[in-house]
Coordinates of all heavy atoms in Angstrom, one line a residue:
K43 N 12.7 -6.8 -1.6 CA 12.1 -8.2 -1.5 C 12.1 -8.6 0.0 O 11.1 -9.1 0.5 CB 12.9 -9.2 -2.4 CG 12.4 -10.6 -2.2 CD 13.2 -11.6 -3.1 CE 14.7 -11.6 -2.6 NZ 15.5 -12.5 -3.4
D44 N 13.3 -8.4 0.6 CA 13.4 -8.8 2.0 C 12.4 -8.0 2.9 O 11.9 -8.5 3.9 CB 14.8 -8.7 2.5 CG 15.7 -9.7 1.8 OD1 15.2 -10.8 1.5 OD2 16.9 -9.4 1.6
L45 N 12.3 -6.7 2.6 CA 11.3 -5.9 3.3 C 9.9 -6.3 3.1 O 9.1 -6.4 4.0 CB 11.5 -4.4 2.9 CG 12.8 -3.8 3.3 CD1 12.9 -2.4 2.7 CD2 12.9 -3.7 4.8
C46 N 9.5 -6.7 1.9 CA 8.2 -7.2 1.6 C 7.9 -8.5 2.4 O 6.8 -8.7 2.9 CB 8.0 -7.5 0.1 SG 7.9 -6.0 -0.9
E47 N 8.9 -9.3 2.5 CA 8.7 -10.6 3.3 C 8.3 -10.3 4.8 O 7.7 -11.2 5.4 CB 10.0 -11.5 3.2 CG 10.2 -12.1 1.8 CD 9.0 -12.9 1.4 OE1 8.6 -13.8 2.2 OE2 8.5 -12.8 0.3
L48 N 8.7 -9.2 5.3 CA 8.3 -8.8 6.7 C 6.8 -8.7 6.9 O 6.4 -8.9 8.0 CB 9.0 -7.5 7.1 CG 10.5 -7.4 7.1 CD1 11.0 -6.0 7.4 CD2 11.1 -8.5 8.1
V49 N 6.1 -8.5 5.8 CA 4.6 -8.4 5.9 C 3.9 -9.5 5.1 O 2.7 -9.3 4.7 CB 4.1 -7.0 5.5 CG1 4.6 -6.0 6.5 CG2 4.5 -6.6 4.1
G50 N 4.6 -10.6 4.8 CA 3.9 -11.7 4.1 C 4.3 -11.8 2.6 O 3.8 -12.7 2.0
G51 N 5.1 -10.9 2.1 CA 5.6 -11.0 0.7 C 4.6 -10.7 -0.3 O 3.5 -10.2 0.0
M52 N 5.0 -10.8 -1.6 CA 4.1 -10.5 -2.7 C 3.8 -11.8 -3.4 O 4.5 -12.7 -3.4 CB 4.9 -9.6 -3.7 CG 5.1 -8.2 -3.2 SD 6.2 -7.2 -4.4 CE 5.0 -7.0 -5.7
S53 N 2.6 -11.7 -4.1 CA 2.2 -12.8 -5.1 C 2.5 -12.3 -6.5 O 2.6 -11.1 -6.7 CB 0.7 -13.1 -4.9 OG 0.5 -13.6 -3.6
P54 N 2.6 -13.2 -7.5 CA 2.9 -12.8 -8.8 C 2.0 -11.7 -9.4 O 2.4 -10.9 -10.3 CB 2.8 -14.1 -9.6 CG 3.2 -15.1 -8.6 CD 2.6 -14.6 -7.3
D55 N 0.8 -11.6 -8.9 CA -0.2 -10.6 -9.5 C -0.1 -9.3 -8.7 O -0.8 -8.3 -9.0 CB -1.6 -11.1 -9.5 CG -1.8 -12.2 -10.4 OD1 -1.1 -12.3 -11.4 OD2 -2.7 -13.1 -10.2
D56 N 0.7 -9.2 -7.6 CA 0.7 -8.0 -6.8 C 1.6 -6.9 -7.4 O 2.5 -7.2 -8.2 CB 1.3 -8.4 -5.4 CG 0.4 -9.2 -4.6 OD1 -0.8 -9.3 -4.9 OD2 0.9 -9.7 -3.5
T57 N 1.4 -5.7 -6.9 CA 2.3 -4.6 -7.3 C 2.8 -4.0 -6.0 O 2.2 -4.1 -4.9 CB 1.6 -3.5 -8.1 OG1 0.5 -3.0 -7.4 CG2 1.2 -4.1 -9.5
I58 N 3.9 -3.3 -6.1 CA 4.4 -2.6 -4.9 C 4.5 -1.1 -5.3 O 4.8 -0.7 -6.4 CB 5.8 -3.1 -4.5 CG1 6.3 -2.4 -3.2 CG2 6.8 -2.9 -5.6 CD1 7.5 -3.0 -2.6
D59 N 4.1 -0.3 -4.3 CA 4.1 1.2 -4.5 C 5.2 1.7 -3.5 O 5.1 1.6 -2.3 CB 2.8 1.8 -4.1 CG 2.7 3.3 -4.4 OD1 3.4 3.8 -5.2 OD2 1.9 3.9 -3.7
I60 N 6.3 2.3 -4.1 CA 7.3 2.9 -3.3 C 7.0 4.4 -3.1 O 6.8 5.1 -4.1 CB 8.7 2.7 -4.0 CG1 9.0 1.3 -4.3 CG2 9.8 3.4 -3.1 CD1 9.4 0.4 -3.2
K61 N 6.9 4.8 -1.9 CA 6.4 6.2 -1.6 C 7.5 6.9 -0.9 O 8.2 6.3 0.0 CB 5.2 6.2 -0.8 CG 4.0 5.7 -1.5 CD 2.8 5.7 -0.6 CE 1.5 5.2 -1.3 NZ 0.3 5.3 -0.5
S62 N 7.7 8.2 -1.2 CA 8.6 9.0 -0.4 C 7.8 10.0 0.4 O 6.7 10.3 0.2 CB 9.6 9.7 -1.3 OG 9.0 10.6 -2.2
E63 N 8.5 10.6 1.3 CA 7.9 11.6 2.2 C 7.3 12.8 1.5 O 6.3 13.4 1.9 CB 9.0 12.1 3.2 CG 8.5 13.1 4.2 CD 9.7 13.5 5.1 OE1 10.7 14.1 4.6 OE2 9.6 13.3 6.3
D64 N 7.9 13.2 0.3 CA 7.4 14.3 -0.4 C 6.2 14.0 -1.3 O 5.7 14.9 -2.0 CB 8.5 14.9 -1.3 CG 9.1 14.0 -2.3 OD1 8.4 12.9 -2.6 OD2 10.1 14.3 -3.0
G65 N 5.7 12.8 -1.2 CA 4.5 12.4 -2.0 C 4.8 11.7 -3.3 O 3.9 11.2 -3.9
F66 N 6.1 11.7 -3.7 CA 6.4 11.0 -5.0 C 6.2 9.5 -4.7 O 6.6 9.0 -3.7 CB 7.8 11.3 -5.4 CG 8.2 10.6 -6.7 CD1 7.8 11.0 -7.9 CD2 9.0 9.4 -6.6 CE1 8.2 10.4 -9.0 CE2 9.3 8.7 -7.8 CZ 8.9 9.2 -9.0
S67 N 5.6 8.8 -5.7 CA 5.5 7.3 -5.6 C 5.6 6.7 -7.0 O 5.3 7.4 -8.0 CB 4.2 7.0 -4.9 OG 3.1 7.2 -5.8
T68 N 6.0 5.5 -7.0 CA 6.0 4.7 -8.3 C 5.8 3.3 -8.0 O 6.1 2.8 -6.9 CB 7.4 5.0 -9.0 OG1 7.3 4.4 -10.3 CG2 8.5 4.3 -8.2
D69 N 5.1 2.6 -8.9 CA 4.7 1.2 -8.8 C 5.7 0.3 -9.5 O 6.2 0.6 -10.6 CB 3.3 1.0 -9.3 CG 2.3 1.7 -8.6 OD1 2.5 2.1 -7.4 OD2 1.2 1.9 -9.1
F70 N 5.8 -0.9 -9.0 CA 6.6 -2.0 -9.6 C 5.9 -3.3 -9.5 O 5.2 -3.5 -8.5 CB 8.0 -2.1 -9.0 CG 8.9 -0.9 -9.1 CD1 8.9 0.0 -8.1 CD2 9.6 -0.7 -10.3 CE1 9.7 1.2 -8.2 CE2 10.4 0.5 -10.4 CZ 10.4 1.4 -9.4
G71 N 6.1 -4.2 -10.5 CA 5.5 -5.5 -10.4 C 6.3 -6.5 -9.7 O 7.5 -6.2 -9.3
Y72 N 5.8 -7.6 -9.5 CA 6.4 -8.7 -8.8 C 7.8 -9.1 -9.4 O 8.7 -9.3 -8.6 CB 5.5 -9.9 -8.8 CG 6.0 -11.2 -8.2 CD1 5.8 -11.5 -6.9 CD2 6.7 -12.1 -9.0 CE1 6.3 -12.6 -6.3 CE2 7.2 -13.3 -8.4 CZ 7.0 -13.5 -7.1 OH 7.5 -14.7 -6.5
R73 N 7.8 -9.1 -10.7 CA 9.1 -9.5 -11.4 C 10.2 -8.5 -11.0 O 11.4 -8.9 -10.8 CB 8.9 -9.5 -12.9 CG 10.2 -10.0 -13.6 CD 10.0 -10.1 -15.1 NE 10.0 -8.8 -15.9 CZ 11.1 -8.1 -16.2 NH1 12.2 -8.5 -15.7 NH2 11.0 -7.0 -16.9
N74 N 9.9 -7.2 -10.9 CA 11.0 -6.3 -10.6 C 11.5 -6.5 -9.2 O 12.7 -6.2 -8.9 CB 10.4 -4.8 -10.7 CG 10.1 -4.4 -12.1 OD1 8.9 -4.4 -12.4 ND2 11.0 -4.2 -12.9
V75 N 10.7 -7.0 -8.3 CA 11.0 -7.1 -6.9 C 11.6 -8.5 -6.7 O 12.7 -8.6 -6.0 CB 9.8 -6.9 -5.9 CG1 10.2 -7.2 -4.5 CG2 9.3 -5.5 -6.1
Y76 N 11.0 -9.6 -7.2 CA 11.4 -10.9 -6.8 C 12.3 -11.6 -7.9 O 13.0 -12.6 -7.6 CB 10.2 -11.8 -6.6 CG 9.6 -11.6 -5.2 CD1 8.8 -10.5 -4.9 CD2 10.0 -12.4 -4.1 CE1 8.3 -10.3 -3.6 CE2 9.5 -12.2 -2.9 CZ 8.7 -11.1 -2.6 OH 8.2 -10.9 -1.4
N77 N 12.2 -11.2 -9.1 CA 13.0 -11.9 -10.2 C 13.5 -10.8 -11.2 O 13.2 -10.9 -12.4 CB 12.1 -12.9 -10.9 CG 12.9 -13.8 -11.8 OD1 14.1 -14.0 -11.6 ND2 12.2 -14.3 -12.8
P78 N 14.3 -9.9 -10.7 CA 14.7 -8.8 -11.6 C 15.7 -9.3 -12.6 O 16.5 -10.1 -12.4 CB 15.4 -7.8 -10.6 CG 15.9 -8.6 -9.5 CD 14.8 -9.7 -9.3
D79 N 15.6 -8.7 -13.8 CA 16.6 -8.9 -14.8 C 17.9 -8.4 -14.3 O 18.0 -7.4 -13.6 CB 16.2 -8.1 -16.1 CG 17.1 -8.3 -17.2 OD1 18.3 -7.8 -17.2 OD2 16.6 -8.9 -18.2
P80 N 19.1 -9.1 -14.6 CA 20.3 -8.7 -14.1 C 20.7 -7.2 -14.5 O 21.4 -6.5 -13.7 CB 21.3 -9.6 -14.7 CG 20.5 -10.9 -15.0 CD 19.2 -10.4 -15.3
R81 N 20.2 -6.8 -15.6 CA 20.5 -5.4 -16.0 C 19.7 -4.4 -15.1 O 20.0 -3.2 -15.0 CB 20.1 -5.1 -17.4 CG 21.1 -5.9 -18.4 CD 20.8 -5.5 -19.8 NE 21.3 -4.2 -20.1 CZ 21.3 -3.7 -21.3 NH1 20.8 -4.3 -22.3 NH2 21.7 -2.4 -21.5
Q82 N 18.7 -4.8 -14.4 CA 18.0 -4.0 -13.4 C 18.7 -4.2 -12.1 O 19.0 -3.3 -11.4 CB 16.5 -4.4 -13.3 CG 15.9 -3.6 -12.1 CD 14.6 -4.2 -11.6 OE1 13.6 -4.4 -12.4 NE2 14.5 -4.5 -10.4

């Protein structure tokens, strides 16, 4: 979340794509980043 804020943050309809050097990537929604369940 703090890293996202460096470029203007996310809006509730946005998704984030986490990418690694080897090409693996996965997407997460706003809730996962800004309002995660405590179990996450």
Side-chain angles (χ1 to χ4, degrees):
K43 172 181 68 177
D44 294 327
L45 293 171
C46 288
E47 289 299 311
L48 297 175
V49 293
M52 292 175 68
S53 298
D55 293 334
D56 290 347
T57 58
I58 185 171
D59 185 25
I60 306 286
K61 295 181 180 181
S62 67
E63 182 180 60
D64 64 9
F66 180 79
S67 71
T68 190
D69 296 340
F70 296 97
Y72 176 90
R73 182 177 80 75
N74 295 105
V75 177
Y76 280 83
N77 191 26
D79 184 290
R81 289 187 75 175
Q82 173 198 305

